[in-house]
């Protein structure tokens, strides 16, 4: 007689196998469900640069003559982030940021460790070390030059630096009537001098160097120096990614018209009775179309030219306080100071510009405080704006107030202002370079 297990034991064994099989199937279904649930649709414009989680490296064996390098965590560990001490600033825990807690952690790491070396070469009274003036629509360039010198991020020791700032400012070149061809030669000679005198450019072929320019003159003067434009990080106010701007390498500088003529707007939804507003020069195709299609509309306040000062004191700026949506079409470049005007005055900006890598796009979720359209949407502009419910508008407006501090320049710089946001963008790119 062949020995075998009793019928009861066999039944129990089959039952156990069935339970294990059922549990495995349920686990597979659950994993598949949450995997699909975690997928998100892509943004209509260029996707933001992924945030990087920074954790301090071990102090063991660290060379004290070089800046401490944090190690990179490529997988997002929500549990570790959640263990951090809660911040009293509720803004960090709102969805105006792509990853609010991650941004907060990285920002704190940046404040502790990030160092930038400014090349001292060049006559400070000519084209180098010379900031733009701190007024007007190109003030962002001047503020950055001044802020970097008075900030904690500057180091006098190049061996401690993570990035190197090439302080080229072409404003005075234009004032002296220098041609673009001669500007290019001046910039090329300056760069050649830095490369010959210092060893730092050749270590990375300029990948850890950056320059800043908000005026289109600076763009024109540097575009003829491919070694600079292709290798170094460009921080520019005209970040059109169809003509050479590289979003994952370069940085979009917000073009801010400072000082603002009137105080910041906010918490004034009931006063905003005009649907949409725009007035300005017709110096681009999209602006010509905008004026032609909508200048006679009764609900959209669209002018085919700038508002003359003769009509009254600050008439143009006061329109922002009375309007729900401020139209921001690209001009001679994709950018416009009108965007930061809208943010400051509490009027929800309507971005009407193709190929625009919006400032701080990898940090801020622009769709939470702005309306982003293609230029071809100009013909349906009124219908699109009217389809936005009152509740949606209030949410956009409230979020807009929360981001105002990120588009404000100060001297000395203030935490989370425009200067610190640009520095944060450079911090992220530094880690892309290093790792």
């Amino acid at each position: 007689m062949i020995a075998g297990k009793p019928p009861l034991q066999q039944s129990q064994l089959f039952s156990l196998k069935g339970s294990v099989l059922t549990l495995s199937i349920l686990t597979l279904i659950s994993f598949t469900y949450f995997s699909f649930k975690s997928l998100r649709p892509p943004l209509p414009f260029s996707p933001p640069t992924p945030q990087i989680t920074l954790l301090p490296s071990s102090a063991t064996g660290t060379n004290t003559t070089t800046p401490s390098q944090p190690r990179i965590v490529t997988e997002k560990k929500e549990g570790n982030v959640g263990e951090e001490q809660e911040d009293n600033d509720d803004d960090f825990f709102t969805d105006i940021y792509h990853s609010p807690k991650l941004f907060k952690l990285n920002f704190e790491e940046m404040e502790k460790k990030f160092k930038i070396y400014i090349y001292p070469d060049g006559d400070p009274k000519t084209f180098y070390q010379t900031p733009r003036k701190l007024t007007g629509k190109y003030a962002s360039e001047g503020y950055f030059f001044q802020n970097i010198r008075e900030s904690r991020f500057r180091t006098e020791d190049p061996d401690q630096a993570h990035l190197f700032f090439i302080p080229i400012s072409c404003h005075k070149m234009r004032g002296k009537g220098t041609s673009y061809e001669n500007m290019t030669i001046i910039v090329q000679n300056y760069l050649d001098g830095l490369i010959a005198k210092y060893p730092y450019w050749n270590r990375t072929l300029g990948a850890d160097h950056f320059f800043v320019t908000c005026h289109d003159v600076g763009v024109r003067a540097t575009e003829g120096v491919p070694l600079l434009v292709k290798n170094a990080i460009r921080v520019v106010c005209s970040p059109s990614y169809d003509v050479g701007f590289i979003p994952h390498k370069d940085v979009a500088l917000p073009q801010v018209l400072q000082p603002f003529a009137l105080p910041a707007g906010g918490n004034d939804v009931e006063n905003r009775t005009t649907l949409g507003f725009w007035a300005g020069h017709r110096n681009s195709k999209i602006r010509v179309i905008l004026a032609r299609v909508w200048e006679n509309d009764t609900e959209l306040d669209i002018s085919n030219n700038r508002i003359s000062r003769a009509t009254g004191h600050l008439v143009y700026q006061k329109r922002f306080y009375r309007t729900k949506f401020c139209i921001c079409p690209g001009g001679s470049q994709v950018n416009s100071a009108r965007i930061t005007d809208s943010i400051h005055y509490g009027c929800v900006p309507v971005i009407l510009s193709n190929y625009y890598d919006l400032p701080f796009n990898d940090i801020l979720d622009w769709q939470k405080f702005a309306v982003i359209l293609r230029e071809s949407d100009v013909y349906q502009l009124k219908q699109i704006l009217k389809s936005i419910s009152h509740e949606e508008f209030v949410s956009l407006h409230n979020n807009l107030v929360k981001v105002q501090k990120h588009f404000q320049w100060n001297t000395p710089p203030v935490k989370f202002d425009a200067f610190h946001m640009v520095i944060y963008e450079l911090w992220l790119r530094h880690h892309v370079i290093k790792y």
Side-chain angles (χ1 to χ4, degrees):
M1 182 174 180
I2 301 173
K5 294 182 179 180
L8 180 59
Q9 291 182 359
Q10 291 181 348
S11 175
Q12 290 174 339
L13 180 61
F14 291 146
S15 177
L16 178 60
K17 289 182 178 179
S19 299
V20 171
L21 179 61
T22 301
L23 181 60
S24 300
I25 294 173
L26 289 174
T27 301
L28 179 60
I29 292 173
S30 300
F31 178 79
T32 304
Y33 169 76
F34 286 111
S35 296
F36 279 106
K37 189 176 181 181
S38 65
L39 296 177
R40 296 179 180 178
L43 293 175
F45 288 85
S46 61
T49 303
Q51 292 277 15
I52 301 172
T53 302
L54 306 179
L55 294 178
S57 58
S58 172
T60 305
T62 301
N63 185 346
T64 56
T65 62
T66 58
S68 59
Q69 299 293 344
R71 56 189 173 89
I72 304 299
V73 177
T74 56
E75 293 184 4
K76 185 175 180 181
K77 299 186 182 296
E78 295 290 350
N80 292 340
V81 174
E83 292 170 6
E84 293 293 321
Q85 183 178 358
E86 293 292 323
D87 196 291
N88 292 328
D89 188 352
D90 291 337
D91 286 356
F92 283 109
F93 300 95
T94 68
D95 57 2
I96 59 173
Y97 304 96
H98 291 298
S99 302
K101 295 182 182 179
L102 213 54
F103 168 57
K104 178 175 178 290
L105 288 175
N106 284 343
F107 194 96
E108 291 172 351
E109 186 79 7
M110 174 197 75
E111 285 191 302
K112 295 175 184 176
K113 298 185 176 182
F114 199 29
K115 296 298 178 185
I116 295 172
Y117 179 73
I118 305 175
Y119 282 109
D121 298 67
D123 182 357
K125 295 182 180 179
T126 53
F127 314 127
Y128 321 110
Q129 310 285 345
T130 306
R132 287 280 308 176
K133 57 185 179 180
L134 301 184
T135 59
K137 62 182 179 179
Y138 302 113
S140 297
E141 181 180 324
Y143 269 101
F144 186 90
F145 271 71
Q146 181 158 320
N147 285 172
I148 190 64
R149 293 191 180 98
E150 58 193 0
S151 77
R152 70 177 72 185
F153 304 109
R154 182 181 184 180
T155 178
E156 301 289 344
D157 183 359
D159 292 325
Q160 290 288 321
H162 300 94
L163 290 183
F164 295 80
F165 178 37
I166 304 174
I168 303 171
S169 181
C170 303
H171 173 50
K172 286 193 175 181
M173 294 189 195
R174 184 187 189 191
K176 293 184 178 182
T178 308
S179 67
Y180 286 117
E181 291 77 11
N182 287 335
M183 288 183 190
T184 298
I185 294 173
I186 292 170
V187 172
Q188 180 70 69
N189 291 339
Y190 181 57
L191 179 63
D192 290 343
L194 297 181
I195 295 174
K197 184 176 180 180
Y198 299 93
Y200 309 110
W201 176 280
N202 289 327
R203 295 186 308 186
T204 62
L205 293 180
D208 56 359
H209 287 56
F210 72 95
F211 66 97
V212 176
T213 180
C214 193
H215 200 283
D216 53 358
V217 171
V219 175
R220 291 282 298 275
T222 56
E223 64 185 4
V225 187
L227 185 66
L228 177 65
V229 171
K230 292 182 179 181
N231 290 17
I233 301 168
R234 294 196 298 163
V235 183
V236 295
C237 282
S238 52
S240 179
Y241 56 84
D242 68 329
V243 290
F245 179 88
I246 305 173
H248 68 269
K249 176 180 78 73
D250 301 328
V251 175
L253 184 69
Q255 188 177 33
V256 183
L257 181 63
Q258 285 203 195
F260 291 107
L262 295 171
N267 304 317
D268 52 2
V269 170
E270 65 281 356
N271 297 330
R272 300 182 180 275
T273 56
T274 302
L275 179 62
F277 165 64
W278 176 78
H281 290 316
R282 291 180 291 176
N283 56 349
S284 67
K285 181 179 178 181
I286 183 59
R287 293 187 176 191
V288 171
I289 296 174
L290 176 66
R292 185 180 71 239
V293 175
W294 298 110
E295 65 177 323
N296 295 319
D297 191 84
T298 57
E299 294 180 272
L300 293 176
D301 183 7
I302 305 296
S303 302
N304 64 0
N305 212 327
R306 285 183 175 270
I307 297 176
S308 172
R309 294 180 181 178
T311 60
H313 184 59
L314 299 176
V315 171
Y316 173 76
Q317 288 81 359
K318 291 175 182 177
R319 297 275 186 95
F320 285 86
Y321 288 129
R322 302 198 303 265
T323 308
K324 293 181 177 179
F325 301 98
C326 288
I327 319 304
C328 303
S332 56
Q333 302 288 336
V334 295
N335 58 296
S336 170
R338 186 174 284 98
I339 295 175
T340 50
D341 279 347
S342 302
I343 293 173
H344 175 77
Y345 294 119
C347 182
V348 175
V350 179
I351 312 299
L352 200 59
S353 184
N354 295 342
Y355 307 110
Y356 187 6
D357 189 58
L358 292 162
F360 319 137
N361 190 38
D362 50 354
I363 307 168
L364 303 175
D365 187 350
W366 276 77
Q367 297 186 77
K368 297 297 171 53
F369 58 90
V371 179
I372 304 175
L373 304 177
R374 298 178 179 86
E375 290 185 0
S376 59
D377 292 326
V378 65
Y379 300 99
Q380 292 81 40
L381 180 60
K382 186 165 92 169
Q383 296 91 316
I384 292 172
L385 297 183
K386 294 191 72 172
S387 69
I388 298 173
S389 68
H390 178 71
E391 291 74 18
E392 291 171 328
F393 164 68
V394 171
S395 177
L396 290 168
H397 173 77
N398 291 340
N399 287 337
L400 192 67
V401 175
K402 294 176 183 177
V403 302
Q404 285 174 340
K405 60 187 175 186
H406 297 317
F407 295 88
Q408 175 72 48
W409 293 91
N410 305 281
T411 181
V414 176
K415 188 174 182 178
F416 299 122
D417 66 1
F419 171 75
H420 282 86
M421 295 292 280
V422 173
I423 292 292
Y424 181 80
E425 293 275 23
L426 291 168
W427 169 247
L428 293 182
R429 281 150 181 79
H430 153 67
H431 286 289
V432 172
I433 294 168
K434 295 296 289 184
Y435 301 99

